[in-house]
């Protein structure tokens, strides 16, 4: 809510500074939007510049100041300015005059602004622009502050200054029969206590001169309409929070008016209370707007009637949905007090009388016969306040603060007080509410700190997921990966580049912040690749990223979320270094090695298998499923070259994505016995068919004797032009053989190896070179 | 060369060996010398074999001799080896020590957000808080209704939250994990939750997704000054220096009384870092807790905001760009 300072000061006995008002509100829970001096001034073509140089004259009375405007420097003579780090605000006309100027100093946000001026009107203009309007955000529970009187009331409480408004007005109401008023609702939906009305006769609506202050203030608040009468009515509702309706008295048929409330659901499926006025069963006023325009006074009308309903506080509670609306009169409406109502209906009639002339008649009243529930009295227990806050506040202080708020004290005791809460404070209903209000005025900073002793059980169940995720992250870091975090948002276009037919599975957001963020991601890959593009454009060519995050999918119209890990490598393998002659580029087996390392640390390596499968994401050569125990846990491969070219990335990209749940599980480590006896090493070279997988050969060798053959490594893979013609390849395998109970003989070792060879021959049709004794082996045997 | 006899004099042996050692200039030949005398098939082993066959009377005498030779040879050869090695180092080419070491694999880094999250979680874990987690896509009930957020509250509108359908949304705060967790538990309880939350905001200090850490404590006789104690300790822990703190009254639907905590940043301006308060009665009732016996406190910390204050950042978007040059600094 934006409002001018003077308007508030009308209702406070001693005038307050803008700074003071801001300070008071800021420290008591009102959010204050920044005073944006730059924007306000640039709109009005006024120069705002930092002081670039500040020279003092010899007698130290004057100073020569240089400022900058549109890349030109200007010199200005002024009275002495002490502050160097400050700003100057001045007019265009001043710049070329050789004259000593006066200035006016303003301090905002600890920065000084010097306004140079020739004539006073310029100073006032700038003061008005930058300094008089305050923009605040009112907390949700304090709708009573949403009009000028309410806000002034709050400020007077906070500043200890008296409110310039008498709640007890001596206005006499009369029961007149100018108009028949009916209340249509029964008890349940009745939100009106009474209706006051006033007749103004022989009015001349042709004049259009509104007082300037009203015009200005409405402009600042942002509700200004063409019709002057509407403007005046709006002005009063903003000030008072009352609903005031105005009709052409002569056009009301039979002088009949019925008032009705009904509930209706709005677009967001929330029940809204509508307030309606009927004349002979025709709606003439609905939801704070004139519904039937003929009935509103125009140039030819002579008699007008002003109608002000006094609504109950229950209505205010149910009206909260208007809180967030901008530029509507509706949000200012509250403050349902009888005295306020009759004061302001008189005020508006006086304003109208001053502008349009006419004769004011006395205020009429029509009461609603249905009884309305009054607010309950509240019993406040002193000890309860102290237990909530944790320290002791004096009883006198509590009573003082309650009186300040406007509560009436009905009875008091050593242990408790009965109070009656003012009608506009609907938010105060329980002891907790009131303690919050008390401590707010008493001061949060006066609360002492106190440690606490609580008995609680320490959970022996560790959160394994969390620990394991942290461990996993550390594994990646050891391998040289950097963690990235991306937004959960994605869009159709982006995902369609990478995946097939995923449109149906994506989860759409109903109200996205932009088109680029219109769906939730189904995979981490698009986000992480965009990070690569970002870094390539900044000349970072050595990239190893990983991300752990959730992805979302629709499955049979149900939303399902999965946590996934994605790792990606791309670009140069090493940093530029003097010892490396030619830098290598990452390849598939770099990534596979990292994957194996991570799975090994999770104790799942033993049955890792990669199986081919077709996918748009990966190149057809290198696109595989990761299988563990014949269950799919993820995918690994090289990004499709078409996609890579489409994104204009130089280097090949290698990716794996794993379902996190399938590799995280707590498992205790079991230690195997280490045998004391020496290891024997034998190398075998064999010539294979090109397409036989080495994995199978290793498995067949291990199957010969699982206990004695401890390890099989592949040392060399070799191809030759001769071998290529036969479509074969040359491989050397190193077997390490060891027994747990004794040192093995030459004979026993040879037996094992010939068994292996025979089995391989039988299975794969392999040509052998004879097993060699390794040199290391000789040393260890002796 | 000596014959394989033990009839020789010590002095002559010494002289001969000295001569041989003098000739030697590299490590290879000294290794050969070692093999020749002290190796498995060397001179001294041969002498020892001879000793086995000789009569018992002479054995101790000869044994002494052999031991003496062995010690002498060891001493001389080792000394010579050391000398040669030292000379080698001196004579080798000049080495530029200022060259960088051979660490050419890039180092790994955690994201600053996870680093700070872990740091804060460790602090509260040590105070006895356990960590719990909840889903990112929430029901209306847990995100709004159970937290005493009014049906008309502006945060429910499409201007503030991301809606997926009429009943589900992306959670706007981690407080919803509280009620989810507490439904099956009984107080006293201390717990923290952390994770992503989503709000419809985008500018220099706001992103549509950000991280939050929420802590809550439910027990008998919990009051506002306890809350102040926890938060002061936390700020002291996190910034490792005494910072000026300001408590300012505020309004959150799920706490009462509620407060916002402000801290002075590097520009000496007050900046909000966290919101806290005593848990509202209605929220406790939704958790099936007896409000006459128990009361609770809760606080929510914005992680990105803390990072911005600690490292003097002005733009929050840097954290989600994932620039290597930024990530390397943590």
């Amino acid at each position: 809510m934006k409002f001018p300072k003077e308007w508030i000061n009308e209702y406070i006995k001693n005038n307050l500074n803008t700074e003071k008002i801001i300070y008071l509100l800021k420290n008591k829970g009102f959010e204050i939007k920044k005073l944006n001096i730059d924007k306000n001034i640039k709109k009005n073509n006024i120069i705002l510049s930092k002081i670039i140089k500040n020279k003092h004259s010899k007698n130290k009375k004057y100073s020569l100041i240089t400022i900058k405007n549109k890349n030109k420097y200007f010199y200005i003579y002024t009275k002495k300015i002490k502050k160097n780090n400050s700003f100057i605000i001045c007019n265009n006309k001043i710049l070329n005059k050789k004259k000593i100027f006066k200035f006016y100093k303003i301090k905002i946000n600890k920065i000084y602004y010097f306004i140079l001026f020739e004539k006073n009107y310029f100073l006032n203009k700038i003061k008005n622009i930058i300094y008089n309007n305050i923009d605040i955000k009112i907390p949700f529970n304090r709708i009573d502050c949403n009009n000028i009187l309410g806000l002034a009331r709050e400020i007077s409480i906070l500043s200890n200054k008296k409110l310039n408004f008498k709640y007890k007005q001596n206005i006499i109401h009369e029961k007149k029969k100018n108009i028949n008023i009916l209340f249509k609702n029964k008890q349940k939906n009745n939100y009106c206590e009474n209706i006051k009305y006033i007749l103004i006769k022989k009015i001349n609506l042709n004049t259009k001169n509104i007082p300037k202050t009203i015009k200005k203030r409405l402009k600042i608040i942002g509700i200004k309409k063409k019709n002057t009468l509407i403007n005046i009515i709006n002005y009063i509702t903003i000030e008072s929070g009352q609903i005031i309706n105005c009709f052409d008295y002569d056009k009301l048929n039979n002088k009949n008016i019925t008032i009705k409330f009904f509930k209706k659901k709005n677009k967001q499926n929330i029940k809204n209370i509508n307030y309606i006025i009927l004349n002979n069963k025709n709606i003439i006023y609905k939801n704070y707007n004139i519904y039937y325009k003929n009935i509103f006074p125009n140039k030819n009308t002579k008699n007008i009637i002003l109608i002000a309903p006094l609504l109950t506080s229950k209505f205010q509670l149910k009206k909260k949905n208007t809180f967030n609306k901008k530029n509507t009169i509706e949000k200012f409406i509250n403050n349902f007090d009888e005295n306020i109502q009759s004061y302001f209906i008189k005020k508006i009639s006086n304003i109208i009388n001053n502008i349009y002339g006419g004769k004011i008649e006395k205020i009429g009243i029509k009461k609603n016969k249905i009884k309305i529930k009054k607010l309950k009295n509240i019993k406040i227990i002193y000890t309860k306040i102290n237990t909530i806050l944790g320290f002791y506040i004096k009883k006198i202080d509590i009573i003082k603060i309650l009186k300040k708020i406007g509560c009436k004290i009905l009875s008091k005791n050593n242990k408790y007080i009965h109070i009656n809460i003012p009608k506009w404070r609907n938010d105060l209903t329980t002891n907790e509410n009131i303690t919050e209000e008390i401590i707010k005025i008493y001061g949060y900073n006066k609360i002492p700190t106190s440690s606490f002793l609580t008995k609680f059980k320490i959970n022996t169940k560790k959160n394994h997921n969390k620990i394991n995720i942290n461990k996993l992250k550390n594994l990646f870091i050891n391998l040289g990966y950097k963690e990235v975090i991306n937004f959960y948002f994605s869009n159709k276009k982006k995902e369609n580049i990478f995946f097939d037919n995923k449109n149906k599975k994506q989860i759409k957001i109903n109200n996205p912040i932009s088109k680029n963020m219109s769906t939730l991601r189904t995979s981490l890959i698009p986000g992480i690749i965009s990070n690569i593009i970002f870094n390539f454009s900044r000349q970072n060519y050595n990239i190893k990223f990983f991300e752990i995050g959730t992805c979302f999918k629709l499955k049979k119209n149900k939303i399902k979320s999965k946590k996934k890990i994605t790792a990606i490598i791309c670009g140069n393998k090493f940093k530029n270094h003097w010892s490396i002659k030619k830098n290598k580029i990452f390849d598939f087996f770099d990534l596979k090695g990292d994957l194996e390392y991570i799975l090994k640390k999770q104790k799942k390596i033993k049955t890792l298998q990669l199986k081919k499968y077709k996918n748009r994401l990966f190149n057809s050569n290198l696109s595989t499923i990761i299988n563990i125990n014949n269950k799919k846990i993820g995918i690994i491969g090289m990004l499709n070259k078409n996609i890579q070219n489409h994104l204009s990335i130089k280097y090949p990209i290698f990716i794996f994505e794993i379902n996190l749940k399938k590799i995280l599980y707590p498992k205790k480590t079991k230690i195997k016995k280490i045998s004391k006896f020496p290891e024997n090493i034998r190398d075998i070279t064999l010539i294979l068919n090109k397409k036989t997988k080495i994995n199978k050969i290793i498995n067949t060798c291990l199957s010969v004797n699982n206990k004695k053959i401890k390890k099989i490594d592949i040392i060399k893979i070799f191809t030759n032009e001769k071998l290529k013609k036969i479509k074969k390849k040359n491989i050397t395998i190193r077997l390490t053989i060891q027994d747990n109970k004794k040192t093995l003989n030459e004979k026993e070792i040879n037996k094992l190896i010939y068994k292996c060879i025979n089995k391989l021959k039988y299975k794969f049709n392999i040509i052998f070179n004879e097993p060699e004794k390794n040199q290391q082996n000789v040393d260890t045997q002796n | 060369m000596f014959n394989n006899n033990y009839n020789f004099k010590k002095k002559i042996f010494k002289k001969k060996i000295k001569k041989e050692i003098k000739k030697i200039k590299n490590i290879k030949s000294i290794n050969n010398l070692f093999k020749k005398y002290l190796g498995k098939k060397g001179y001294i082993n041969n002498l020892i074999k001879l000793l086995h066959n000789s009569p018992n009377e002479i054995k101790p005498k000869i044994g002494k001799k052999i031991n003496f030779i062995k010690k002498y040879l060891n001493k001389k050869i080792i000394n010579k080896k050391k000398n040669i090695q030292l000379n080698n180092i001196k004579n080798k080419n000049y080495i530029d020590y200022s060259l960088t070491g051979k660490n050419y694999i890039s180092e790994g880094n955690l994201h600053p957000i996870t680093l700070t999250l872990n740091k804060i979680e460790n602090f509260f874990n040590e105070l006895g808080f356990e960590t719990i987690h909840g889903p990112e896509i929430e029901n209306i009930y847990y995100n709004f209704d159970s937290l005493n957020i009014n049906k008309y509250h502006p945060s429910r509108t499409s201007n503030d939250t991301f809606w997926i359908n009429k009943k589900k949304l992306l959670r706007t705060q981690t407080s919803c994990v509280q009620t989810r967790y507490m439904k099956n538990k009984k107080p006293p309880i201390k717990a923290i939750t952390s994770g992503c939350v989503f709000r419809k905001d985008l500018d220099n200090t706001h992103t549509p997704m950000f991280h939050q850490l929420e802590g809550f404590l439910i027990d008998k006789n919990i009051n506002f000054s306890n809350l102040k104690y926890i938060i002061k300790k936390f700020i002291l822990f996190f910034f490792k220096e005494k910072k000026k703190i300001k408590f300012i009254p505020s309004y959150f639907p799920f706490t009462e009384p509620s407060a916002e905590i402000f801290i002075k940043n590097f520009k000496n301006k007050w900046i909000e870092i966290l919101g806290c308060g005593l848990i509202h009665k209605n929220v406790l009732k939704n958790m099936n807790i007896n409000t006459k016996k128990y009361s609770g406190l809760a606080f929510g910390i914005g992680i990105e905001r803390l990072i911005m204050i600690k490292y003097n950042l002005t733009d929050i978007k840097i954290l989600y760009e994932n620039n290597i040059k930024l990530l390397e600094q943590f």
Side-chain angles (χ1 to χ4, degrees), chain A residues 26-29 34 139-141 268 270-271 317-318 320-321 323-324 384 387-390 430 432-433 436 439-440 444-452 454-456 459 463 466 470 473 477 480-489 507-513 517 520 531 534-535 538 540 542-543 545-546 550 552 559 574-575 577-580, chain B residues 99-111 113-114 118 121 127-128 130-131 133 136-137 150-154 157-158 161-165 168 170 181 188 190 196 198 200-202 207-209 211 217 219 222-226 228-230 232 246-251 256-259 269 278 281 319-325 327-328:
Chain A
K26 217 178 186 179
N27 284 332
K28 298 294 175 189
K34 264 188 183 176
F140 182 70
N141 60 339
Q268 289 146 7
I270 295 169
K271 272 186 184 177
L317 279 175
K318 299 214 166 179
K320 278 179 177 174
N321 60 331
F323 185 79
N324 219 21
K384 206 161 193 183
T387 50
I388 289 170
L389 296 175
T430 60
E432 283 82 4
N433 291 331
E436 190 181 35
I439 194 65
K440 195 167 146 189
Y444 273 48
N445 289 330
K446 288 180 190 171
I447 303 170
T449 57
S450 70
S451 67
F452 53 94
T454 53
K455 290 173 191 172
F456 59 91
N459 259 13
N463 193 344
K466 188 73 193 170
N470 279 341
K473 281 181 180 175
I477 285 166
Y481 285 83
K482 291 180 174 63
E483 194 196 5
V484 293
I485 294 177
N486 285 304
F487 288 138
Y488 280 29
F489 306 108
I507 295 170
K508 282 181 190 173
I509 296 169
N510 278 350
N511 52 334
I513 203 165
M517 300 183 180
L520 292 176
N531 291 333
F534 179 88
N535 277 300
R538 280 156 187 77
N540 303 323
N542 174 3
I543 284 171
F545 282 152
F546 80 97
T550 35
F552 302 91
I559 295 164
F574 306 115
K575 293 178 198 169
H577 196 266
W578 53 271
S579 66
I580 298 166
Chain B
L99 277 174
T100 50
K102 288 187 179 177
N103 178 22
Y104 33 68
I105 296 169
S106 58
E107 70 269 25
N109 297 89
L110 277 179
H111 199 277
I113 289 170
T114 44
N118 285 347
E121 273 175 16
L127 280 184
E130 57 173 316
T131 45
H133 290 277
E136 275 109 353
I137 293 179
N150 195 299
K151 270 188 181 177
Y152 307 113
H153 197 275
T157 58
S158 56
T161 60
F162 293 108
W163 289 86
I164 284 164
N165 51 40
K168 298 216 166 183
L170 293 174
Y181 183 70
K190 288 173 166 184
C196 310
F198 305 85
K200 219 176 161 185
D201 255 335
L202 188 62
T207 46
M209 181 186 112
H211 290 75
L217 192 163
D219 202 352
I222 294 293
N223 54 43
F224 205 82
S225 61
N226 293 340
K228 215 173 167 181
Y229 170 82
I230 289 181
K232 275 195 169 179
K246 201 161 79 171
F247 276 67
I248 279 178
S250 174
Y251 170 74
E256 189 175 52
S258 32
K269 268 184 183 176
L278 298 183
K281 257 189 179 181
L319 294 173
Y320 289 99
E321 276 173 355
N322 298 319
N323 193 339
I324 284 182
K325 277 161 194 167
L327 293 175
E328 274 174 351

Side-chain angles (χ1 to χ4, degrees), chain A residues 394-415:
Chain A
K394 285 178 185 174
K395 286 170 193 171
I396 305 166
D397 289 336
I398 290 172
I399 290 168
K400 259 187 190 177
I401 290 165
L402 288 175
K403 277 181 180 175
K404 240 188 193 180
I405 299 167
C407 301
K408 281 177 189 172
I409 289 161
L410 302 173
S411 65
K412 51 183 172 177
N413 196 340
N414 249 342
K415 287 176 183 174

Side-chain angles (χ1 to χ4, degrees), chain A residues 403-444:
Chain A
K403 277 181 180 175
K404 240 188 193 180
I405 299 167
C407 301
K408 281 177 189 172
I409 289 161
L410 302 173
S411 65
K412 51 183 172 177
N413 196 340
N414 249 342
K415 287 176 183 174
Y416 55 83
I417 344 169
H418 273 288
I419 57 164
N420 195 356
I421 274 160
K423 228 182 157 188
W424 50 85
R425 290 305 298 268
N426 282 315
D427 54 319
L428 303 179
T429 50
T430 60
N431 268 328
E432 283 82 4
N433 291 331
I434 284 163
T435 44
E436 190 181 35
E437 200 64 27
I438 287 167
I439 194 65
K440 195 167 146 189
I441 291 163
Y442 187 81
Y444 273 48

